[in-house]
Amino acid sequence: MKRVVLGLFAAVVLHACAAHEKTGDRAAAVGDWKAAYASYRQALASEPDSPEIKLKFDAARTKALQDARQRAQTCAQVNDWNCALAESDFALSVEPGNAEIASFRAHAAQRVAMAQLDTAVEQAQQGQYAEAASLMDRALELSPVPEVKAHAEDVRRIITTQGRAQADRYLHEGNFIAAHELAQLVLRLDASASAWAQNIAAEYEHFITEEVERLSREGDAARAQRDWGRAQQSYGAALSLRQGGRAAPLEAYVRHMALADQRIAGRDWNGAAEAYHVALRTGQDDGFANHQLERVQLRPYRFVLHSVLVTPGRPDGRAWVGASNDIFTRLANRVTQMARQRGMTDLVKDLAMSIPHENRPQLRIEVHHPDGMHLTTQGRHGIYTDYGAEFVAIANAFDNRPVGFRVYIDGPHGSELLGSVDVPVHELVERRDVSLEGASILSLRLSTVSDSRQPGPYGGMAHVVPAPPPGARPPGARPPPPGRGHVASPTH
């Protein structure tokens, strides 16, 4: 196994060597000796015993060195000292011990440094103190000769004198951050400004403390309104001024609360729950995250269809079934009026039960389950009927899937849709006991309770089986009522 590994490694090295050599050959063919030198050097490092590669490397090295020296001289003649410095740096990397190149490089570095200092003087006079100081530092790194140091002292003097005056103006204007930054720059260049810089630092610290607290209070107000985005912005601004403090855990709290909202919008219940858990771990929850965590947890719920009360008659006043008369009309008007004014009271139920038998339709309710099942109750006579039918589904307080209820009147000639009501699952989960209304439905009473069963069970209802295609019905069989399928026997 070891031999195999070593063989593979050798193959990789040889492949890399060949690739570098080919790259060097292409560069040499067009006279790009710097690139050829670099490629042959890599190839030689991979295969140091190759006489062919060593020959190519030596030739490229000589050519690259000649080109660099020639270009350096050409650049110097036109006062392009940055170019001259770059070329001499390359030449020294090829031949480090060459005193002539080193001397030329030192002269080029001095000229570049002096030009940088000229620019630094202009920047300092224009109030660009940080940029001027940066150029001054780079110039001193390039060339430590006395001429450069003397010119750098001019830059330092302008920065410390004019910068100190500008920092005082910033302080007077209330721009404490700019005053402090400039004072620290002046202090770095002039140790004698220590006491002055300390006074500005004290003013700055006082301002930062008050500003952090102000921003944190803004975050508190937004957090109280559950405006997580605005709260995060305020706490983040406080942290940008000073890390740590009370804003740090609060920013983490509102950030994860906002994340939970985003995941809820995408129906990522598990992701939302995790975000609430992280928010709780910050120790900043006032009970809301814990409440939301409870609401987002998926669990089985039992939805119970208790009863339905419909209008005694059609919109035009006629009874749903049977002939209308004065007694029916008076009772119908009374039931409808009291139900709409007082809701489902015992008196309304008694009045509904007083409707003449011949005017009591056979009511049946079909349920469109949130998981896609289509269920139905048995038909029962009366404008008010009890069912006690139920089904179980997995849901939470954010589930916006609709549950549909369709109330039908069954008769000898088929089924007639009396009215329908749709309600989102989360409303049933949150409210627990509801009475829905719609069109001719005066009250459809439902309740919701937690259940230990898995989704799917139902009671007091049966599946509505889709009707088969016309060709699949046995000869002579009657088609199902319009808009419905076959109904199995309800379970109890």
Side-chain angles (χ1 to χ4, degrees), residues 404-415:
F405 300 92
R406 309 288 183 264
V407 181
Y408 288 94
I409 296 176
D410 289 336
H413 302 296
S415 298

Side-chain angles (χ1 to χ4, degrees), residues 37-51:
Y37 165 73
S39 296
Y40 289 141
R41 184 175 58 183
Q42 289 178 300
L44 191 61
S46 300
E47 198 174 349
D49 295 329
S50 170

Side-chain angles (χ1 to χ4, degrees), residues 92-162:
L92 275 178
S93 71
V94 176
E95 194 173 10
N98 191 308
E100 182 183 352
I101 296 175
S103 175
F104 180 88
R105 192 267 177 203
H107 179 67
Q110 179 182 344
R111 297 297 295 267
V112 171
M114 293 296 283
Q116 288 180 342
L117 290 170
D118 288 340
T119 303
V121 169
E122 294 176 3
Q123 290 179 329
Q125 290 174 341
Q126 294 170 6
Q128 300 173 13
Y129 303 112
E131 294 84 349
S134 179
L135 268 180
M136 180 189 73
D137 292 339
R138 292 205 298 272
L140 288 170
E141 288 176 3
L142 270 177
S143 178
V145 299
E147 293 85 353
V148 171
K149 290 182 178 179
H151 201 3
E153 179 59 24
D154 295 335
V155 177
R156 188 196 70 82
R157 187 165 51 251
I158 295 172
I159 294 174
T160 55
T161 303
Q162 296 185 10

Side-chain angles (χ1 to χ4, degrees), residues 214-280:
R214 182 188 69 80
L215 291 167
S216 297
R217 286 196 300 268
E218 285 184 359
D220 295 342
R223 178 168 58 97
Q225 296 173 1
R226 317 302 186 202
D227 187 345
W228 311 123
R230 187 160 59 89
Q232 184 181 354
Q233 185 177 16
S234 295
Y235 291 134
L239 290 172
S240 70
L241 295 177
R242 176 178 291 159
Q243 289 296 308
R246 75 181 188 89
L250 286 167
E251 190 277 336
Y253 174 80
V254 298
R255 175 158 39 87
H256 284 91
M257 294 298 286
L259 178 60
D261 282 354
Q262 293 172 8
R263 289 175 172 172
I264 286 172
R267 295 180 60 83
D268 179 5
W269 312 129
N270 291 332
E274 175 60 26
Y276 285 132
H277 277 299
V278 177
L280 285 169

